[in-house]
Amino acid sequence: STQANFAAYFTMTPTTMAFRENSAMAVPAPLWTHGPSPGAFYPMSHSTSAPSEPRQHTTQPIVTGTSVLAVKFDGGVIMAADTLGSYGSLARFRDVSRLVKVGDRTLVGAGGDIADYHAVKDLLDGLECENYEADDGHDLTPKAVHTYLTRVMYNRRTKMNPLWNTLLVAGIQDGTPFLGLTDKLGVAFAEDAIATGYGAYIALPLLRDALERKEGPLTKEEALTEMEKCMKVLFYRDARSLNRYEVATITADGIEIQEPRPVETDWSIANMVRGYE
C-alpha cells in the first residue's frame, strides 16, 4: 500500500500535485468571525484614544459680556451695553460691541459668551441675505427676528449644545415699540423693560420703578437718564462691567447706535465704606 501510494505520487502531473498540496493547507474560515465562542461573552472593547476633532460644545463660557439693558419710551426703545469682554475675572477686551442692527428696524443685544454671540451674528447676516434675495417687498420685523432667534436657541438647547447667550430684540413694528428676550434655553417673552445678567438683579428694579412712578411711557430724555443711572450702578456693583458703554435708540425714523461713552462716577466716599475688607 505504501509502495503504491509512493508510485502514484510520482506519476501525478504537476497540476494535480499543486491542487493536492493547496487542499491540504487550506483551512475553512469560521462562520462568525470576531464573535463569541459558544457559551462565552462577546468582548466589548472600547477605544481609549482621544477623538481626532476637538469638542465643539460650549460647556463653559470663556470670554463673556455682562448686562444688556433696554426700556421702552413713547415712540421707541433704548438699549445699552458696556464694551467689556471678560476673560474669566480679567477685563481683557475693552472695545467689544454687543449691539448689532438686523435690517432697518431691528436691534439685537447680547450678553454671555462672545464667541457664541458672533455665531448668532453670522446667522442673522444669513437671514438678512435670504430676505434680500427673496426681494418680495417684505422687511425683517422685530417680532420675526425674535421668533427666529427663539427657535435657534431652543434648537441648540435640544441638541445639548446651547448658544451661551441671552439676547434682547428691540424695534418698531406696526408703529409700536417692541422689546423681547430669549435665552440659551429658548425661553422667550416681551416686556416694557428688560435686563440680562447682573443687571436683572440691580438695574431692572430701577427701570421698573421709573415706569411705575411715571404711570405711563417715559419720554426719550427720561429713558436716557434712567439708562445712565443704571449703567453707573452696574459699574459700581458689577465686577464684570466697565465704565464705557454703548447706547442705541430705536425709533420709527431708524436705529442710531452712538459712539461709546464713559460713565461719570464719583469715588470720593470709597474710603468710608466698611465691612468689605
Side-chain angles (χ1 to χ4, degrees), residues 1-238:
S1 172
T2 303
Q3 292 179 352
N5 291 337
F6 187 76
Y9 179 81
F10 281 100
T11 58
M12 285 191 297
T13 63
T15 303
T16 305
M17 293 175 62
F19 176 77
R20 287 281 184 91
E21 291 175 357
N22 291 336
S23 299
M25 291 187 296
V27 178
L31 297 177
W32 186 6
T33 58
H34 306 296
S37 302
F41 293 103
Y42 185 78
M44 299 292 292
S45 60
H46 297 280
S47 174
T48 58
S49 60
S52 58
E53 294 295 331
R55 186 181 181 91
Q56 299 295 320
H57 291 39
T58 301
T59 56
Q60 182 178 356
I62 303 300
V63 178
T64 59
T66 183
S67 310
V68 183
L69 313 179
V71 63
K72 291 182 183 178
F73 64 90
D74 56 351
V77 183
I78 286 182
M79 188 181 295
D82 66 29
T83 60
L84 179 65
S86 299
Y87 181 72
S89 60
L90 174 67
R92 178 63 180 85
F93 305 100
R94 296 171 176 262
D95 192 21
V96 178
S97 176
R98 296 185 285 128
L99 306 180
V100 59
K101 287 177 58 177
V102 183
D104 297 326
R105 295 187 287 174
T106 307
L107 183 76
V108 175
D113 189 79
I114 298 298
D116 285 351
Y117 161 62
H118 284 284
V120 171
K121 280 181 63 176
D122 290 342
L123 292 175
L124 293 174
D125 288 342
L127 189 66
E128 281 193 84
C129 290
E130 289 179 10
N131 184 72
Y132 176 80
E133 291 169 355
D135 195 20
D136 55 3
H138 295 281
D139 295 330
L140 289 173
T141 62
K143 289 184 179 180
V145 174
H146 183 240
T147 301
Y148 170 77
L149 289 175
T150 301
R151 296 298 90 211
V152 167
M153 303 300 272
Y154 184 77
N155 175 264
R156 291 291 296 264
R157 168 259 182 115
T158 57
K159 294 179 179 179
M160 303 300 290
N161 184 19
L163 292 166
W164 216 278
N165 297 109
T166 303
L167 305 173
L168 296 191
V169 181
I172 303 294
Q173 180 152 348
D174 301 326
T176 304
F178 172 81
L179 177 59
L181 173 145
T182 183
D183 66 7
K184 66 178 182 294
L185 300 180
V187 176
F189 60 87
E191 189 54 82
D192 292 336
I194 301 178
T196 72
Y198 200 50
Y201 301 98
I202 63 175
L204 186 55
L206 299 177
L207 295 176
R208 286 176 173 169
D209 180 66
L211 291 172
E212 292 171 1
R213 282 189 285 104
K214 184 67 181 295
E215 297 183 353
L218 302 174
T219 65
K220 181 178 178 180
E221 291 72 21
E222 290 171 338
L224 278 172
T225 300
E226 293 298 326
M227 197 62 69
E228 291 172 0
K229 181 196 301 184
C230 290
M231 297 306 294
K232 181 183 296 186
V233 170
L234 283 174
F235 180 61
Y236 281 142
R237 295 295 182 182
D238 185 1

